[in-house]
Amino acid sequence: MNEQTIALVTGANKGIGYEIAAGLGARGWSVGIGARDEQRRADAVAKLRAAGVDAFGVPLDVTDDASVTAAAALLEDRAGRLDVLVNNAGIAGAWPETPSAVTPESLRAVVETNVIGVVRVTNAMLPLLRRSAHPRIVNQSSHVASLTLQSTPGVDLGGISGAYAPSKTFLNAVTIQYAKELAGTAVKVNGACPGYVATDLNGFHGTSTPADGAEIALRLATLPDDGPTGGLFDDAGTVPW
C-alpha cells in the first residue's frame, strides 16, 4: 500500500479548492483534483504538476451517484485508502436572494450540491478513510451559515440569502452528525469558514484571496490526533453555530 498521504479535494479545479490542493501538495501529499469539467480538471492538474505537486485528476460530479462511485473506485485502485477528504465543491445560486423569491427548483439545486453532494461523496469515501491511520474530513462551510452571526444586530454578511446560507447551515448540522457517528474512531470531521474570498462564487467581490481562504481547510486537514472534531472554525478560531 502506498504510504504517501492521499487527499481528495472536490471542486479543486479553481478558486479555494485549487489552493487547498496546492497547499496539501506542497506538503508532499498526493492530491486528487476532483472536478466535473474535463478540460478544467486537466488544466489544474497540469498547473499543479508544473509546480511540483503530485496531483492526479478525479472525474467527479458530486450530484451524480455513478460519478461518485467511480471516483471511489479510482482511489481504491490508486492507493487502497484515502487519508483526507475536503468537500469543497459548492454553488451559490442567486445572491442576494430573498426567501420569498426562491423557487423550489433553485433551492433544490443548491442543496443537491452543497449538502446532498457532501453526503454522497463522504459516504462513498468513508470505507477508504477508515483504512487511514489519521483520517480527516473537512466540509467547506461559511460564516453565513452561522445562525448566531445571522441573528446578531449589526453583523453584515452580505445581504439576505434564501438558499445558499441555509444550505451551509444544513451542512453544519450534517457535519455534527458525522462527528457523532464517528466519535471514538480516528476520523475527525470539521467545518471550515474561509472568509470573504474573491472567487467566481461571489463575482470576485471578496476581500481576501483564495490562498488566504484555503488556510483554515489546510489546518483542519492536517490536525493532530488530539485535535477537535465536530466543530466550525475560521482562521481566528471557533465560529459560533
Side-chain angles (χ1 to χ4, degrees):
M1 184 178 292
N2 189 341
E3 293 304 319
Q4 185 180 25
T5 302
I6 309 295
L8 172 64
V9 183
T10 69
N13 62 286
K14 60 182 178 179
I16 299 173
Y18 177 88
E19 294 298 337
I20 293 170
L24 296 176
R27 290 162 167 78
W29 294 17
S30 182
V31 186
I33 307 305
R36 60 185 175 182
D37 186 284
E38 182 178 358
Q39 188 58 57
R40 291 178 179 177
R41 182 176 65 248
D43 290 346
V45 169
K47 185 177 178 182
L48 287 165
R49 286 179 177 170
V53 174
D54 181 11
F56 60 97
V58 180
L60 181 57
D61 179 349
V62 303
T63 69
D64 183 81
D65 288 340
S67 175
V68 173
T69 298
L74 186 154
L75 289 162
E76 171 76 57
D77 291 342
R78 184 179 183 90
R81 73 173 198 286
L82 181 65
D83 299 298
V84 170
L85 170 62
V86 181
N87 285 305
N88 170 76
I91 61 173
W95 187 299
E97 182 180 39
T98 60
S100 60
V102 173
T103 66
E105 292 75 20
S106 64
L107 178 60
R108 189 177 294 113
V110 173
V111 171
E112 180 67 45
T113 296
N114 295 358
V115 183
I116 299 173
V118 171
V119 172
R120 181 180 285 113
V121 173
T122 300
N123 288 352
M125 301 301 165
L126 263 177
L128 296 171
L129 286 160
R130 290 180 184 276
R131 299 175 193 168
S132 171
H134 311 282
R136 306 288 180 261
I137 300 172
V138 182
N139 292 335
Q140 195 73 286
S141 186
S142 171
H143 290 98
V144 304
S146 169
L147 298 179
T148 299
L149 295 178
Q150 285 281 9
S151 59
T152 299
V155 174
D156 181 11
L157 294 175
I160 298 174
S161 169
Y164 178 77
S167 79
K168 290 298 185 178
T169 306
F170 190 175
L171 177 61
N172 286 352
V174 169
T175 299
I176 291 172
Q177 299 306 314
Y178 272 115
K180 290 174 68 175
E181 177 185 357
L182 296 166
T185 75
V187 184
K188 295 187 179 299
V189 189
N190 290 290
C193 294
Y196 191 30
V197 178
T199 70
D200 60 359
L201 196 75
N202 56 29
F204 299 97
H205 291 149
T207 55
S208 58
T209 68
D212 294 332
E215 284 302 313
I216 181 59
L218 291 171
R219 193 169 79 198
L220 295 173
T222 56
L223 282 174
D225 288 343
D226 61 352
T229 190
L232 182 65
F233 302 93
D234 64 10
D235 287 337
T238 301
V239 177
W241 298 116

